[in-house]
Amino acid sequence: MTFDDYTFDNHFPETAETMQLIWKASKVALKELDYLVQAAIALDTKGPEIRTGLLQGNPDLEAQIKINDNLRLSINRNLMDNRERIYVDYPYITTQLFLHSL
């Protein structure tokens, strides 16, 4: 099960229901078939992936950021990315990071 586009809270009811259905199916198999079915459930709960734009529109360029360099993260897709300013596709970045927080 994955929560890549939603938070756990938004998905919890249907996730819990799915897990209960798996558990019930295992119990039914044991009772009716005398066969123990074991099931593993993996949850992908990693946080958001933040993707950046292309530097100066070129997929081969990489930013070399050094200590004390200034870097501006922007959610404006129309800006041309360079070593000082990079587009990020995470719209909530402005509520998660603050000036001098890194």
Side-chain angles (χ1 to χ4, degrees):
M1 294 179 211
T2 182
F3 302 110
D4 53 355
D5 292 329
Y6 303 96
T7 65
F8 182 76
D9 292 337
N10 292 345
H11 253 4
F12 182 75
E14 62 190 56
T15 300
E17 181 181 351
T18 300
M19 293 168 81
Q20 283 186 338
L21 288 172
I22 293 168
W23 180 72
K24 286 179 184 177
S26 179
K27 285 183 73 171
V28 167
L30 180 60
K31 183 177 181 182
E32 294 182 9
L33 304 174
D34 196 31
Y35 184 77
L36 177 62
V37 176
Q38 296 179 337
I41 300 172
L43 299 177
D44 178 3
T45 59
K46 67 180 178 177
E49 293 179 3
I50 300 174
R51 292 176 177 79
T52 63
L54 299 176
L55 292 179
Q56 299 171 348
N58 185 338
D60 296 324
L61 290 180
E62 294 181 3
Q64 299 278 331
I65 303 167
K66 299 178 181 138
I67 294 174
N68 295 325
D69 280 356
N70 289 316
L71 176 65
R72 176 177 283 170
L73 302 178
S74 174
I75 57 174
N76 183 346
R77 185 184 302 266
N78 298 318
L79 292 177
M80 181 64 71
D81 294 352
N82 57 40
R83 203 170 75 97
E84 292 83 30
R85 182 181 57 226
I86 297 175
Y87 163 76
V88 294
D89 70 347
Y90 182 57
Y92 305 107
I93 195 91
T94 57
T95 64
Q96 304 295 313
L97 291 179
F98 302 98
L99 186 62
H100 305 295
S101 66
L102 296 177

